[in-house]
Amino acid sequence: MGFRLEGPVLEGSLVRLEPLDHRHAPDLALAAEEERSSYGFTWVPTAAEVGQYVDAQHARVATGRFALFAQVSRETGRAVGATGYLDPRLWPDREELFAVEVGFTWLAPSVQGTGFNTESKYLMFRHAFETWGVSRVDLKTDARNSRSRAAIESVGARFEGVLRNWGQSWAPGEDGLLRDSAMFSVVAAEWPDCRARLEQRLEQRLARHRKPVSHPA
């Protein structure tokens, strides 16, 4: 049997990444409709499209080249977005990964900027480098998407350049058109420093949200 990309449950302090399933659809429908102005260059289903969206993602998973997750809030138990691994690249002489992409990511506006994206990327990078033993993690986004580019750089990925007409555009009204893609990566030699910075950022964010302990006078 050939190689298949499979992702387990990955659990952090803020977020739990669970293989995407139809049981997540009601929560994702609510998350997708909170406020859609930040989705200009990203494919995010409307509430009415979520069932079709999950079916489409399951079809991708069935190819063995995608592992897709619901991003679930540890605090509420609700799915608040999605993300995944894709485009596995194998050594030519053996079925072992040397690179994988992290993408297909979106989050409800209510959890953007709260540490969810940072922790999700941390969990996925850690699994890719430390369990799968990859040499490289890829990330890419529409070159026009300054918000996404800033978010990718904030988790320690290095900008490598723009590839013109690289892939399908997901922007509204651009069906059948190609986009320029801004390319980023983290390589294995950078992962220890990247991991330390991500852990520090997460600890600082968690510390701000911890309730102070009161002591008797």
Side-chain angles (χ1 to χ4, degrees), residues 132-187:
W132 288 337
V134 302
S135 295
R136 171 186 169 98
V137 171
D138 304 331
L139 304 98
K140 67 177 183 288
T141 189
D142 192 304
R144 299 167 294 179
N145 193 343
S146 58
R147 180 194 294 263
S148 179
R149 291 175 66 158
I152 291 171
E153 290 183 324
S154 76
V155 297
R158 182 175 297 184
F159 175 61
E160 295 182 324
V162 173
L163 298 182
R164 297 177 298 166
N165 287 354
W166 177 252
Q168 176 182 351
S169 174
W170 298 106
E174 294 188 358
D175 292 350
L177 299 181
L178 298 175
R179 74 178 195 188
D180 296 347
S181 291
M183 312 298 289
F184 299 80
S185 71
V186 180
V187 298

Side-chain angles (χ1 to χ4, degrees), residues 103-126:
F104 276 81
T105 301
W106 64 272
L107 276 171
S110 60
V111 293
Q112 293 177 16
T114 64
F116 271 62
N117 180 62
T118 299
E119 189 169 64
S120 290
K121 293 299 191 295
Y122 168 75
L123 293 170
M124 296 178 77
F125 290 174
R126 187 178 66 181

Side-chain angles (χ1 to χ4, degrees), residues 1-215:
M1 183 176 178
F3 175 86
R4 295 188 62 82
L5 189 61
E6 296 179 348
V9 173
L10 300 174
E11 190 149 2
S13 297
L14 299 171
V15 64
R16 182 172 60 253
L17 301 180
E18 302 176 354
L20 183 66
D21 190 78
H22 276 287
R23 64 188 172 83
H24 299 116
D27 288 344
L28 293 178
L30 293 174
E33 294 294 347
E34 279 187 8
E35 205 280 317
R36 298 184 62 86
S37 63
S38 65
Y39 300 150
F41 298 101
T42 304
W43 178 39
V44 178
T46 64
E49 295 168 336
V50 164
Q52 179 183 357
Y53 167 82
V54 176
D55 286 340
Q57 304 300 59
H58 279 184
R60 290 184 169 91
V61 170
T63 69
R65 295 185 57 79
F66 294 79
L68 300 170
F69 302 95
Q71 300 190 71
V72 177
S73 166
R74 289 285 310 278
E75 181 178 4
T76 66
R78 290 181 50 233
V80 292
T83 191
Y85 294 112
L86 61 148
D87 192 22
R89 300 198 297 288
L90 309 181
W91 291 100
D93 56 344
R94 57 189 188 273
E95 290 198 344
E96 296 178 14
L97 277 176
F98 72 84
V100 70
E101 182 176 341
V102 170
F104 276 81
T105 301
W106 64 272
L107 276 171
S110 60
V111 293
Q112 293 177 16
T114 64
F116 271 62
N117 180 62
T118 299
E119 189 169 64
S120 290
K121 293 299 191 295
Y122 168 75
L123 293 170
M124 296 178 77
F125 290 174
R126 187 178 66 181
H127 187 76
F129 285 115
E130 299 181 14
T131 300
W132 288 337
V134 302
S135 295
R136 171 186 169 98
V137 171
D138 304 331
L139 304 98
K140 67 177 183 288
T141 189
D142 192 304
R144 299 167 294 179
N145 193 343
S146 58
R147 180 194 294 263
S148 179
R149 291 175 66 158
I152 291 171
E153 290 183 324
S154 76
V155 297
R158 182 175 297 184
F159 175 61
E160 295 182 324
V162 173
L163 298 182
R164 297 177 298 166
N165 287 354
W166 177 252
Q168 176 182 351
S169 174
W170 298 106
E174 294 188 358
D175 292 350
L177 299 181
L178 298 175
R179 74 178 195 188
D180 296 347
S181 291
M183 312 298 289
F184 299 80
S185 71
V186 180
V187 298
E190 298 165 345
W191 170 237
D193 286 343
C194 179
R195 173 176 177 157
R197 290 196 301 272
L198 289 173
E199 289 176 344
Q200 182 180 34
R201 284 183 59 191
L202 288 167
E203 177 58 30
Q204 290 171 345
R205 184 168 292 279
L206 289 170
R208 289 198 296 270
H209 286 82
R210 292 189 186 112
K211 293 181 180 179
V213 177
S214 59
H215 299 282

